[in-house]
Amino acid sequence: MIETFRRQTAFIKACIQDVLKPGDSAIDATVGTGEDTVFLAECVGSAGHVYGFDIQRAAIEEAKALAKQQGVLERITWLCDGHEHMDTYPDIVHNPKIGAVTFNLGYWPDGDPAVTTQPETTLEALEQSAELLRSGGILTVCAYSHLTGQAEKEKIEAWIQNLGRGYDAYSFEVKNHRKAPTAFIVLKK
Ligand SMILES: C[S@@+](CC[C@H](N)C(=O)[O-])C[C@H]1O[C@@H](n2cnc3c(N)ncnc32)[C@H](O)[C@@H]1O
């Protein structure tokens, strides 16, 4: 258990694994390399489904190749669009089984660091995600302190503190490391 504390991404995955069940649906709001998308597809199993958003076509193509290699391609719908538009997709809005939505903020490691998540659109997408989750579902965010990341992190911190009683919201970070990433976890009651 202590080992999962050492990396925010490992900690987040352990939390998702606790909640997401075979047959559930999930959303990867920031596909990037596709590692998280594949992880979600493995959690939901062959009866489940994952929607993956990224604004970069090249990232989606790389992620698709990984999903194919891992044998989970058929479980994933790829959406080359901003996550702030997730509430415009009828398949998502009318899906009662969304057990997890995950955000790994920042930029695609294989691409241009200038193409990064932005505080305003991230906040819009978080609001939508909290609505879309089924009861008992989990919303996770891994937020960093690079350039625009710090402002994004502060906005998320303020947002989760004001979530209503229908949710329990947590944040985790290493307190004695400067610029450590923060894991935000929101559980819907
Ligand atoms: C840190 S990477 C994600 C890492 C990924 N989860 C993985 O497993 O490799 C952040 C991704 O967010 C994408 N992104 C930036 N703004 C976005 C937006 N508005 N909607 C969806 N994706 C966005 C970037 O293109 C980038 O690929």
Side-chain angles (χ1 to χ4, degrees):
M1 177 175 167
I2 292 294
E3 263 319 300
T4 66
F5 277 32
R6 300 199 186 277
R7 287 195 63 207
Q8 301 304 79
T9 48
F11 175 66
I12 285 171
K13 279 184 178 169
C15 294
I16 292 174
Q17 230 159 5
D18 239 35
V19 170
L20 210 51
K21 301 288 172 237
D24 265 343
S25 295
I27 299 175
D28 185 354
T30 52
V31 165
T33 64
E35 269 183 45
D36 295 330
T37 328
V38 166
F39 167 74
L40 293 174
E42 287 169 349
C43 289
V44 300
S46 55
H49 200 75
V50 175
Y51 304 90
F53 284 89
D54 204 293
I55 49 172
Q56 298 191 72
R57 171 65 58 195
I60 297 243
E61 292 308 323
E62 189 180 300
K64 265 187 185 174
L66 180 68
K68 188 173 179 196
Q69 193 190 331
Q70 298 301 314
V72 295
L73 188 61
E74 303 309 317
R75 300 176 200 172
I76 304 165
T77 298
W78 304 94
L79 300 159
C80 189
D81 196 358
H83 41 222
E84 64 276 16
H85 301 137
M86 64 174 75
D87 68 352
T88 65
Y89 289 87
D91 281 4
I92 294 179
V93 174
H94 300 299
N95 187 328
K97 294 184 181 174
I98 297 176
V101 186
T102 186
F103 291 72
N104 188 344
L105 301 177
Y107 51 86
W108 180 34
D110 297 339
D112 179 356
V115 183
T116 184
T117 53
Q118 299 293 328
E120 290 72 23
T121 42
T122 298
L123 257 289
E124 275 179 52
L126 288 175
E127 297 255 6
Q128 294 171 22
S129 304
E131 277 294 312
L132 291 166
L133 277 181
R134 65 161 165 76
S135 175
I138 184 168
L139 167 58
T140 72
V141 184
C142 191
Y144 303 88
S145 299
H146 68 286
L147 301 171
T148 54
Q150 188 57 36
E152 199 171 29
K153 214 194 235 198
E154 285 165 14
K155 284 201 174 198
I156 297 167
E157 189 83 54
W159 178 73
I160 73 159
Q161 281 176 19
N162 285 303
L163 271 170
R165 289 188 170 268
Y167 303 88
D168 288 326
Y170 306 85
S171 71
F172 299 88
E173 63 190 13
V174 187
K175 294 295 179 191
N176 63 336
H177 291 192
R178 283 189 66 236
K179 301 203 168 190
T182 303
F184 295 101
I185 308 283
V186 175
L187 299 170
K188 189 164 182 173
K189 290 182 186 167

